Each structure stands twice: as structure tokens, then as C-alpha cells.
Amino acid sequence: MSQREWIEKDFYKELGVSSGASQDEIKKAYRKLARDLHPDANPGDTKAEERFKSVSEAHAVLSDPAKRKEYDETRKLFAGGGYPRGGGFTPGGGGGFSQDFNIGDIFGGASAGDGGLGDLLGGLFNRGGTRTTSRPRRGADVETETTLGFREAAQGVTVPLRMTSPSPCTTCHGSGAKPGTSPRVCPHCNGTGVISRNQGAFGFSEPCDDCRGTGSIIDDPCVDCHGSGIQNRTRTITVRIPPGVSDGQRIRLAGQGEAGLRGAPSGDLFVSVHVSQDKVFGRNGDDLTLVLPVSYSELVLGTTVSVPTLEGRVGVKVPPGTADGRILRVRGRGVPKRGGGAGDLLVTVKVAVPQKLDDNAAEALRRYAEAEKASGFDPRAGWAGA
Ligand SMILES: [Zn+2]
Ligand SMILES: [Zn+2]
């Protein structure tokens, strides 16, 4: 709750009484509302729970004549619309404004329906709202990246990833307590991790000093992690990258992220994969692409060329009369697919034009050109009339 909200709150309205109500009237109004709105009577009803907190808060101030006087004066002071700025009402430490009274909070997290004694106790001790850090918390997800060679990415590879991240202490298994002992609920804050403090009419909550806001006290801290339950460990994990990952893809490795707090599950590890280019191959989904340089005569006469694949080589037949730029498909020699099988190898033929010919070859080519004309071949026959 912010300062502004606090000033804006109408505690009389919360209790449904007039600003001139007697202490007796306030007490009666509060009792009735507290009974109706108590979380025990309204399990799972968050609206009732909110109202219960507001009513409790209003009562805490109005039932105390000194606080009530201060509250009345404060409201009068700011009734003109000016809210305090700067230092005037800055709380002495940490927490900001909060309720004086937080039974509602203590019951707050206990959801209806899951029942059981363990849940009830969990609700009492561990669910004091988001401020409580003592409850188990799933570890954070960790992001990392790795660069794979083109062929590695296509075929799948096992890579070691070195990562420094908090992990559960191996000595105390994350409890923070010396092996053989266990943490106890902080008696000062009853496990909520927060202490409510009053300063005049204003209630603050601050992290509990005794347990430093964790809600539990470790009498005999684990010597290896000094009671935190967490150790920063550099670990090398071996990650199996499945075949067929492409550049920019993110792989999720469940449970390989940051350690959970107090026995909660670890987060996930996300590996962003960069794939380096290959001199020979390109990729189009599961298909592997390749440009095959050929000579003009190879296209005209046809040939079989040995081309590289991911695993070795394959003979690609170029039929006689193959047009430049044609794509020849070699089935099943592409990138392995997730569910088994593989894409195709797509070979694009591309004529390499010699920049220099010796006299012999040049002479032969001239003779060929004449013979070609004589045979009736016209490369621009389709342009007739254009
Ligand atoms: Zn430890
Ligand atoms: Zn405490």
C-alpha cells in the first residue's frame, strides 16, 4: 500500500460507521464484519479476504484513541487535496506501508480445496504473501548459448556447456541447516518474515530482523553454504543437441537451470544455438542444399558427379541436356528429421565458364560453335519476332 492510498483510505467507511462513532459502535461494527469476512468463513474468497484485511486495518487504527486522533488530524491536513511529498511521511525503514494486522495475510495463501494438516500448517507458516521468502521456490531459468558447426547442428552433437550458477548445497541438500539439524519457524515473526511496526497512526512492515526476512531460523548453519542452502558452482553439463537444430533456435533442457530454494524443483536451462555457415552446404528446413559447379559440356553430354553429403559422398547423375540452374534432388540425404528419416539433398547445377582456354581448346570450341550453328541450334529461338 502506498502512502497516498493510506491517506485516501476512509477507515470509517470501511467499518460502516460515522466519523463521530463511539468506541463502542466501532467495536461492534468491527466484530460483525470480522465474523462475516473471516477467511475461515470464506475459504478461497479473495474479495472477502481483502475486505477482511481492510476492516482489520481500519479497526486497528480507530479502536486506539490516540491513533484515531492522529488519523483524523492527518486526514484533515490533507483534505484539501494535497498529498504529502518527499520526506514528511517517509517510513523509517524498508517496507513501506502495510497493515497493522495481518491475520488475513497469514491465512491468505491457503487455498480452499487442497486441505490436509500439512497444507494448513503450510498456510500458517509459509504463505504470508509474497514477502515471505521461506517457502520453497522453483529455481530460475538459465539462459546460455552455444555455437555449433553447420554439420554438428545438422547431425546432432553432444557438447559440454560450462556454467556458473547457484546450485543446491551438496552438504545440506539446500536446507541451509547443518546435516542432522533442520531450520525452525522464526518465533519473532511466526514464519512470515515480516514484522509490523507502528509509528503513530501508520503501520509499517519490515523484514524480520531475527530471521532476515526468511521466516525460519537456522540454529546450526551448514558450514559449506553458511546457511543459504545455495552454492555457486561452476558445472559442466553435457548437453545433447538433437539433430536438425537451426541457427537461432532455443533448446529447453528441463531441470538444468538454477537450483530451487528449499527443496523446490530447479529451473530450466535454455540454450540458444548459433550455427556457423558451411563452405559447401546450405539449409532449407530439412533439406540440405548444395551448388554443384559443372562445365557446359557436362550439362550437354551428361555425367555422374560425386558430391559430398553429411555422412560421406553420393554420386549424382546429371542427365544429358540438363539446363543450367536445374535442381537435382537426392532423396533422404538431407538433414535428419526429429521423428526419424531425413530431408533431401538439393543439388543446383551451375555452369563454370572458363576464363582462359589454351589454343587447342579455343580452336576446338570455335569449330564446335560452327557445328552447333550448322546443326540448327539457336539459343534465342524463342525470341522469334521479338
Ligand atoms: Zn549447505
Ligand atoms: Zn522472523
Side-chain angles (χ1 to χ4, degrees), residues 186-195 208-217:
C186 173
H188 191 205
C189 62
N190 288 323
T192 61
V194 248
I195 290 297
C208 171
D209 279 341
D210 286 20
C211 62
R212 293 200 203 121
T214 63
S216 56
I217 289 192

Side-chain angles (χ1 to χ4, degrees), residues 343-378:
D344 299 335
L345 172 64
L346 304 180
V347 178
T348 304
V349 294
K350 186 167 187 274
V351 166
V353 175
Q355 299 302 299
K356 239 188 200 173
L357 286 180
D358 66 12
D359 291 350
N360 207 12
E363 180 52 34
L365 195 57
R366 258 179 239 115
R367 276 207 311 278
Y368 165 75
E370 272 167 31
E372 188 184 62
K373 205 179 280 174
S375 77
F377 176 69
D378 176 5

Side-chain angles (χ1 to χ4, degrees), residues 169 171-172 176 222 224-225 229:
C169 170
T171 309
C172 63
C222 165
D224 290 323
C225 64

